[in-house]
Amino acid sequence: MQNYNPYENMLHTLDIAAEKLGYTRNDYEVLRHPERELKVSVPLQLDNGEVHVYEGYRCQHSTLRGSAKGGLRFHPDADENEVRALAAWMTIKNAIANLPYGGGKGGIKVDPKTLSPRELERLTRNFVRRIAPIIGVNTDVPAPDVNTNAQIMSWIADEYSVLKGEWSPGIVTGKPIEVGGSLGRNEATGRGCLIALQGYLAKKNLDIKNMTVAVQGFGNVGSVGARLIAEAGAKVIAIGDSSVNLYNPNGLNIEKAYEYANANNRSLTGYSEPGMITITGQELLTQDVDILYLAALENQINKDNMKNVRAKIILEGANGPTTNDADTYFFEKGVDIIPDVLANGGGVVVSYYEWVQNKAGFYWSLEEVNERLTKNMQNSFEAVWQMQEKYNVAPRLAAYMVALERLVIETTLRGYNC
Ligand code: NAD
């Protein structure tokens, strides 16, 4: 889709949310502009001796509520607009989850699959050196996102700590348990999606048992969420990643697919099971299912394909997978969306718990983490639901309104606009 600008998408929803709440531009103008943006050139000497220079970004959209907080994406399509939108969505998401965090995001324009493990490590460390002037345990704390994982977070923690001269695990979240990660962080985003889905189904008096599900994206958010949704009793009939899309009307064996992908560089290529066929990515998105779980990238359901979508509920594990046009279309058609800024908040909630544990030097059990996560997600869901009912608006707009109300109160109390 040409001319898609995710930051404009965010501003559009923010403006409508403000209008509904009766705010003037003066009340929230500050939130329409990212606070700080850094663009860096990241050098890398490849294993063959050649030197390549990659573009990298870190955007701190807001530090109103606390440290900028948000992931790092390594992807060939990463650019300033994408990172800016993702950072702003983090501001909204963190306010909905009521965390003492602002919003940030970063990335490198690179296809990490073209790099060897040693090249990936050197690129990560060089990126940390470039963004070190603006990140910090109390200023800006990165985390994993698309194509970044616990190992990469571990290199970031190590590189930053070397620069700082002291072990600083709180500089980044999503680390391996052995280097200060939190139990439950790896599953947190998928688990949060399930909790949000369950909140929605309870309000609608619907039972997850035997509901059919199609899942786009089979990385951290997609595979963990699919597993938990299947465990809860739903039938996942389609899954797909950037390499292949699979369909089995009788339900796929998600546990087996999960193990396969984990052992296969997180890819479903080559996976097979009885009764399964391959389909196209668009066929996956337009399956006649109860739930379409989007867990890949932004701009997946848009003007071009929205009318072909047959799912009754859209669960947004990814950030920004549905454009404004599609959002309006689904609201009018009565298709419910459990929006990204609410549904995928579980990741940053447990990132916050990880950061708190790092600062305290005191670590929690998995039960404690999951119990707190569940409570937090339920509170967020309830706040959004109440807003939705009060103003008779779509869930995404209600979610933005919850966030905006909190952000405007804080802006006013702090005199942030003076
Ligand atoms: P990941 O890299 O682990 O997985 C991404 C998945 O999407 C992979 O399976 C990849 O093959 C697939 N994919 C990429 N392009 C695709 C395409 N065109 N069609 C189908 N599949 C495609 O990333 P992740 O951490 O799971 O993140 C997925 C989404 O969730 C992103 O939007 C991210 O911003 C969002 N998110 C992630 C977290 C987190 O904790 N990791 C938290 C909140 C939101």
Side-chain angles (χ1 to χ4, degrees):
M1 198 187 176
Q2 295 291 307
N3 302 324
Y4 168 72
N5 182 333
Y7 194 71
E8 292 295 328
N9 234 22
M10 188 291 296
L11 286 180
H12 178 78
T13 313
L14 190 71
D15 288 343
I16 301 175
E19 197 187 312
K20 289 272 176 205
L21 288 166
Y23 292 141
T24 68
R25 275 289 273 270
N26 290 338
D27 295 319
Y28 73 104
E29 182 65 24
V30 69
L31 295 168
R32 301 184 88 260
H33 305 268
E35 253 176 55
R36 187 174 291 110
E37 293 182 295
L38 181 66
K39 184 170 167 184
V40 294
S41 301
V42 193
L44 170 68
Q45 183 163 38
L46 301 179
D47 293 342
N48 67 9
E50 268 176 43
V51 174
H52 282 204
V53 177
Y54 298 88
E55 242 177 47
Y57 322 90
R58 185 71 191 168
C59 172
Q60 298 170 350
H61 174 261
S62 171
T63 56
L64 173 67
R65 293 175 64 93
S67 302
K69 181 84 188 88
L72 291 175
R73 176 175 292 195
F74 290 180
H75 196 277
D77 294 339
D79 65 19
E80 286 135 306
N81 268 330
E82 184 184 70
V83 165
R84 195 176 294 139
L86 288 163
W89 285 326
M90 288 308 297
T91 302
I92 303 289
K93 194 184 303 181
N94 291 332
I96 294 168
N98 225 345
L99 304 178
Y101 280 149
K105 206 82 178 192
I108 306 179
K109 197 178 196 53
V110 63
D111 181 358
K113 293 188 186 88
T114 62
L115 303 178
S116 71
R118 291 285 296 131
E119 289 169 340
L120 185 60
E121 175 175 353
R122 290 198 297 274
L123 182 71
T124 303
R125 289 181 184 278
N126 287 343
F127 179 61
V128 173
R129 291 180 205 164
R130 291 294 197 265
I131 64 167
I134 68 159
I135 60 169
V137 175
N138 293 312
T139 51
D140 185 354
V141 181
D145 192 74
V146 174
N147 291 336
T148 56
N149 55 24
Q151 174 62 75
I152 292 174
M153 299 306 117
S154 185
W155 290 328
I156 293 174
D158 183 70
E159 187 65 27
Y160 183 83
S161 298
V162 169
L163 293 174
K164 191 81 184 154
E166 63 182 19
W167 175 231
S168 310
I171 186 59
V172 68
T173 58
K175 301 178 293 293
I177 306 297
E178 296 80 357
V179 290
S182 175
L183 292 168
R185 173 60 185 90
N186 190 46
E187 302 81 30
T189 309
R191 185 175 297 283
C193 286
L194 173 67
I195 299 167
L197 175 65
Q198 283 168 330
Y200 167 87
L201 295 176
K203 293 285 184 197
K204 294 274 179 179
N205 258 326
L206 294 169
D207 189 352
I208 196 166
K209 295 241 161 23
N210 299 320
M211 280 193 151
T212 51
V213 188
V215 183
Q216 187 203 35
F218 209 68
N220 176 282
V221 180
S223 67
V224 172
R227 227 174 138 202
L228 293 172
I229 288 169
E231 240 174 62
K235 190 159 77 168
V236 180
I237 63 165
I239 56 177
D241 61 15
S242 56
S243 63
V244 70
N245 295 280
L246 313 171
Y247 171 74
N248 185 342
N250 301 317
L252 289 148
N253 185 338
I254 296 302
E255 205 53 42
K256 197 172 148 207
Y258 178 83
E259 275 164 26
Y260 179 90
N262 265 353
N264 189 37
N265 210 11
R266 301 178 83 192
S267 167
L268 286 167
T269 316
Y271 177 74
S272 79
E273 62 177 57
M276 185 206 90
I277 57 164
T278 57
I279 54 174
T280 66
Q282 285 306 310
E283 282 168 347
L284 181 142
L285 294 175
T286 55
Q287 281 300 314
D288 188 5
V289 282
D290 296 303
I291 302 165
L292 176 60
Y293 178 39
L294 299 170
L297 295 172
E298 55 269 21
N299 188 24
Q300 296 304 298
I301 308 290
N302 51 45
K303 220 196 259 181
D304 299 338
N305 62 359
M306 63 190 185
K307 292 199 173 136
N308 301 328
V309 170
R310 290 182 289 167
K312 298 174 191 73
I313 303 161
I314 295 174
L315 175 62
E316 294 188 333
N319 286 308
T322 314
T323 63
N324 288 337
D325 297 312
D327 219 23
T328 311
Y329 172 76
F330 289 133
F331 184 54
E332 285 165 3
K333 209 179 148 208
V335 174
D336 281 329
I337 297 184
I338 308 174
D340 50 3
V341 286
L342 169 66
N344 70 29
V348 73
V349 168
V350 178
S351 272
Y352 167 60
Y353 298 159
E354 180 175 332
W355 182 75
V356 167
Q357 292 171 77
N358 291 153
K359 284 182 145 223
F362 180 75
Y363 289 82
W364 309 348
S365 69
L366 180 61
E367 291 69 33
E368 280 175 285
V369 171
N370 283 343
E371 203 176 303
R372 285 177 203 264
L373 168 66
T374 304
K375 193 108 214 113
N376 182 294
M377 289 297 303
Q378 287 171 341
N379 288 343
S380 302
F381 183 85
E382 198 53 41
V384 172
W385 186 265
Q386 295 302 332
M387 190 65 89
Q388 201 178 316
E389 296 278 289
K390 183 171 170 191
Y391 287 88
N392 187 29
V393 291
R396 185 182 324 280
L397 190 54
Y400 271 62
M401 288 165 75
V402 168
L404 189 60
E405 204 168 60
R406 291 177 181 164
L407 289 161
V408 167
I409 290 172
E410 209 154 333
T411 302
T412 311
L413 286 173
R414 282 188 55 175
Y416 211 63
N417 280 333
C418 72

